[in-house]
Amino acid sequence: MKAKLSFRLGLVFGLIIFFSLAFSYVYQGRQLRKVLFQNVRTSLLHDLRLTAGMLENRPPGWSNPELSDQWTDRVGKTLDVRVTLIGLDGKVIGDSYVSAAKLAMLENHRNREEVKAALAGGLGEATRFSVSVRENMLYMAMPVGRPEHWAVLRLAKPLHDIAAVEAQIDKGIEGGLYWALLLALTAGTLSAVFLSRPLVRIASAADRFLHGETEVKIPVKHDDEIGRLARAFNYLSEEIVRLTRKEEWLREVLSSIREAIIVTNASGEIVLANPAASRLFMIEAAWKRSIPVTNIEDPGMRELFERVHRRQSGVYNEELSAMTSKGRRTLKVTAVPVMKGEQFDGTVLVINDVTRLRNLERTRRDFVSSVSHELRTPLASIKGYTETLLEGAMNDPENATAFLNIILQESEQLTALVNDVLDLSRIESGKIVYTFESVDVKPQLEKTVALFEPAASRKGVRIELNAPEGLPPVYADRNYFDIVMRNLIDNAIKYVDAESGRVRVSAYASGDGVSIEVADNGIGIPQADLERIFERFYRVDKARSRDLGGTGLGLSIVKHIVLAHRGKVEVRSRINRGSTFTVTIPVAET
């Protein structure tokens, strides 16, 4: 034990020597830095006082800034410092680092720390980083002029000289520390050689244990400190094996559960979180240590944890919106207290992500509401005109014909609405099987434009087609590509003025795809509505759209079909200047 103690003391002495030398070097370096700085300050103060004595009276002709700036340039060059002459109003009237032409551009210096101190007490001093020269500067200033002050003289010196000397000092300190460390490590190594022999067996056993050899046992030969350590290691290894097997079983069970599970202790800290909870809230899957609830970023969830912790009894159910790794989600939280006898020991929280379910419910409600609203108007119109006919209007041929035409128009609107709803439902459900093939754009557009020319002519609308030869074919379903073009051209014709309307259909190659533009000179779309026009049943001008036979589903159908083709659809519009819809479809691979 005496030898062991001596070796330990040797190691301790080595560390004491090393840290003493390190402290000595650091302390001496600080003292040298203070001395260097004081020398620079004393020299700068001497130059300042000497230079200020030259300016007791303001030189004649210095109303011209160029003369005062030339003086500061000469003095600054002679003293190798920055010289600044500042008027009592704070304006710079000379600076050895700034040309006379740029003096007016400098900011007012009256509120500078050293200038304020100079005007108040006769001498001002400050050390700060200079933006103009990009380094730390020592500033000293004093007022000049007798019996009345007429300006403030300021001298500034860069501290790079001190930095250079500090670098040399640091280099010397690092060298001294290196040798001190080397000597200390040598002494420590010699001591450790004798102390480490019995510990090598324990370290080797621990390493084998970490690599999976769970049956490792260390023979205990002595009853000293090392012997007791070996005996404790054997006991701990047995306990670790038992706890590891239990933990692995628990981990597998929790990992197989899709719901997020979080367990808190009696202090409200998280002591366990399964992988689903870790991914959802971006926290560690705590097994060995507790995690503060503040690690959960969403404040609503943190407040819920605190509320559940305060309650400490009964089953708790709540649904809330929280920010998670997947964005804003709707979560259903069920909390059950953990009791150890009569004492509260924590809480188990089971968290279900019900965002998709709630979105589906909301979508279903919105869809039913929108369809009901769209059906109610034509049905009410049909019912009203039918009742009018039954009440005697059918005997008036002129009114009866007008009423029947309205009933026919509303019936056609209902038919179009039902067809669009069915088409959109089939598209969104993914039940449509697209037949993709290589489609030549120009012939397809010519056929679609020819289909709308009679209706456009009756309205006085001119349709132009600009599709150059040699366009690459696109990879698309021919029928659904035609549906997209029909919807866009039909909308363009509807929303342009009669006799002066113009619709232009253009096609051109765009990167790895072909873009088709449908542009009109119609009423345009407000900027506030551009992001919503592809929503179901969304209309910019509801009354006009319904009068023209629109269902509010055409652009939604267009968007879904284009996305199914791995393309994109964009819109640009200006009020009373028209709209341009651009559809881009990928080129067919050869």
Side-chain angles (χ1 to χ4, degrees):
M1 294 300 292
K2 183 177 180 181
K4 292 179 182 179
L5 181 60
S6 64
F7 286 127
R8 292 173 183 172
L9 288 176
L11 179 60
V12 172
F13 287 152
L15 293 174
I16 292 174
I17 292 172
F18 169 71
F19 286 112
S20 298
L21 289 173
F23 175 77
S24 176
Y25 276 120
V26 173
Y27 177 77
Q28 290 178 5
R30 290 182 178 177
Q31 290 299 111
L32 286 174
R33 293 187 187 97
K34 290 181 180 179
V35 171
L36 287 171
F37 182 80
Q38 188 62 32
N39 287 339
V40 172
R41 181 183 178 281
T42 302
S43 175
L44 190 63
L45 180 59
H46 176 267
D47 292 341
L48 177 64
R49 288 173 175 169
L50 183 63
T51 307
M54 301 166 58
L55 298 175
E56 290 186 358
N57 297 315
R58 180 169 185 166
W62 272 24
S63 57
N64 185 357
E66 292 186 1
L67 297 178
S68 58
D69 187 65
Q70 290 174 3
W71 181 87
T72 58
D73 291 343
R74 289 195 302 271
V75 175
K77 185 177 181 180
T78 302
L79 299 179
D80 192 22
V81 296
R82 181 180 181 180
V83 180
T84 307
L85 199 57
I86 305 164
L88 297 180
D89 57 355
K91 293 183 179 179
V92 178
I93 58 178
D95 194 303
S96 60
Y97 276 27
V98 181
S99 63
K102 296 182 179 180
L103 290 178
M105 300 171 59
L106 296 178
E107 62 178 306
N108 193 287
H109 281 42
R110 184 171 181 83
N111 290 325
R112 296 295 173 89
E113 181 182 349
E114 66 277 4
V115 176
K116 292 168 62 177
L119 292 174
L123 179 65
E125 178 181 345
T127 302
R128 64 173 178 274
F129 182 79
S130 173
V131 178
S132 59
V133 298
R134 310 295 297 177
E135 63 177 297
N136 287 322
M137 304 279 288
L138 172 62
Y139 295 92
M140 300 191 75
M142 67 168 44
V144 296
R146 293 183 180 178
E148 293 184 358
H149 302 318
W150 62 273
V152 174
L153 176 66
R154 185 184 72 179
L155 300 187
K157 189 173 183 63
L159 299 180
H160 57 78
D161 294 336
I162 295 179
V165 176
E166 287 180 354
Q168 294 295 327
I169 294 174
D170 291 340
K171 187 176 180 180
I173 292 175
E174 291 172 0
L177 287 177
Y178 171 77
W179 288 108
L181 177 61
L182 183 62
L183 293 174
L185 289 178
T186 301
T189 301
L190 292 175
S191 300
V193 167
F194 297 96
L195 288 174
S196 62
R197 289 177 179 175
L199 295 175
V200 169
R201 293 192 300 270
I202 298 177
S204 176
D207 187 63
R208 288 171 15 227
F209 180 82
L210 290 175
H211 286 81
E213 295 185 32
T214 57
E215 301 300 327
V216 177
K217 294 291 182 181
I218 301 175
V220 180
K221 297 180 180 180
H222 303 284
D223 198 24
D224 56 6
E225 293 88 343
I226 302 299
R228 292 199 296 272
L229 179 61
R231 191 178 294 108
F233 176 85
N234 292 335
Y235 173 77
L236 289 176
S237 64
E238 294 174 357
E239 286 296 308
I240 290 173
V241 169
R242 183 179 65 82
L243 293 175
T244 301
R245 291 172 180 170
K246 183 177 180 180
E247 180 180 316
E248 289 175 352
W249 176 82
L250 180 61
R251 189 189 298 268
E252 291 298 326
V253 171
L254 290 176
S255 299
S256 62
I257 299 176
R258 297 179 59 185
E259 290 80 6
I261 297 178
I262 296 177
V263 180
T264 63
N265 58 15
S267 300
E269 297 178 325
I270 299 173
V271 294
L272 189 147
N274 71 338
S278 301
R279 291 190 298 269
L280 190 63
F281 297 109
M282 293 181 291
I283 58 176
E284 298 179 10
W287 292 90
K288 299 297 184 183
R289 61 185 182 86
S290 60
I291 299 175
V293 175
T294 53
N295 284 22
I296 297 178
E297 296 183 359
D298 186 77
M301 283 299 300
R302 294 198 301 269
E303 197 274 334
L304 173 65
F305 272 73
E306 295 171 359
R307 194 162 60 248
V308 169
H309 178 70
R310 289 195 300 268
R311 184 171 178 173
Q312 297 187 359
S313 63
V315 178
Y316 188 90
N317 289 287
E318 185 171 331
E319 190 170 301
L320 76 162
S321 176
M323 181 59 68
T324 68
S325 59
K326 301 177 182 179
R328 180 66 60 177
R329 311 294 289 178
T330 302
L331 304 177
K332 183 177 181 181
V333 182
T334 301
V336 179
V338 178
M339 307 300 294
K340 185 176 289 185
E342 298 294 329
Q343 185 177 1
F344 174 75
D345 196 45
T347 307
V348 177
L349 297 99
V350 180
I351 303 168
N352 285 282
D353 186 349
V354 295
T355 306
R356 186 171 181 272
L357 178 61
R358 296 297 177 261
N359 287 341
L360 289 174
E361 292 176 352
R362 184 170 58 255
T363 301
R364 178 182 58 81
R365 289 194 302 268
D366 293 344
F367 184 77
V368 171
S369 175
S370 298
V371 171
S372 301
H373 177 75
E374 294 297 329
L375 291 174
R376 187 179 298 114
T377 300
L379 286 175
S381 179
I382 292 172
K383 180 176 181 295
Y385 283 109
T386 303
E387 290 175 348
T388 303
L389 288 171
L390 291 176
E391 289 174 358
M394 66 175 63
N395 297 323
D396 184 350
E398 183 177 351
N399 288 330
T401 301
F403 291 167
L404 289 173
N405 284 329
I406 293 174
I407 292 173
L408 176 62
Q409 181 181 352
E410 296 291 349
S411 300
E412 291 174 348
Q413 176 75 6
L414 277 175
T415 302
L417 175 62
V418 172
N419 289 335
D420 282 351
V421 168
L422 292 176
D423 289 341
L424 183 60
S425 176
R426 290 173 60 234
I427 291 171
E428 289 184 339
S429 65
K431 294 181 179 180
I432 292 179
V433 178
Y434 292 95
T435 305
F436 290 100
E437 58 182 324
S438 179
V439 177
D440 289 330
V441 175
K442 185 174 181 179
Q444 195 73 19
L445 291 178
E446 288 175 345
K447 184 176 69 173
T448 305
V449 170
L451 182 66
F452 284 95
E453 281 182 345
S457 298
R458 288 194 298 271
K459 190 176 178 181
V461 176
R462 181 161 53 94
I463 302 180
E464 300 176 3
L465 175 61
N466 181 18
E469 298 290 344
L471 281 175
V474 296
Y475 190 60
D477 183 300
R478 191 180 303 274
N479 294 328
Y480 284 96
F481 178 83
D482 186 52
I483 290 175
V484 169
M485 293 299 106
R486 286 187 183 186
N487 272 293
L488 294 179
I489 296 174
D490 183 47
N491 275 351
I493 294 174
K494 285 178 180 178
Y495 291 99
V496 296
D497 295 332
E499 305 302 332
S500 62
R502 181 171 59 86
V503 177
R504 184 179 70 255
V505 181
S506 307
Y508 55 90
S510 175
D512 296 332
V514 174
S515 295
I516 301 99
E517 286 188 354
V518 179
D520 62 68
N521 62 345
I523 60 176
I525 304 170
Q527 291 294 320
D529 296 313
L530 284 179
E531 295 183 358
R532 301 192 59 192
I533 58 173
F534 292 102
E535 296 179 9
R536 292 175 297 184
F537 296 109
Y538 188 81
R539 297 186 179 98
V540 177
D541 187 343
K542 296 179 173 57
R544 179 169 181 174
S545 176
R546 190 173 288 110
D547 291 341
L548 293 173
T551 63
L553 295 173
L555 290 179
S556 181
I557 292 173
V558 166
K559 179 181 178 181
H560 282 84
I561 294 176
V562 172
L563 291 178
H565 284 66
R566 295 186 179 179
K568 61 180 180 179
V569 57
E570 300 171 328
V571 58
R572 306 187 307 274
S573 183
R574 294 177 62 184
I575 296 297
N576 297 324
R577 298 292 295 273
S579 304
T580 300
F581 286 83
T582 304
V583 172
T584 303
I585 304 294
V587 171
E589 296 182 0
T590 57

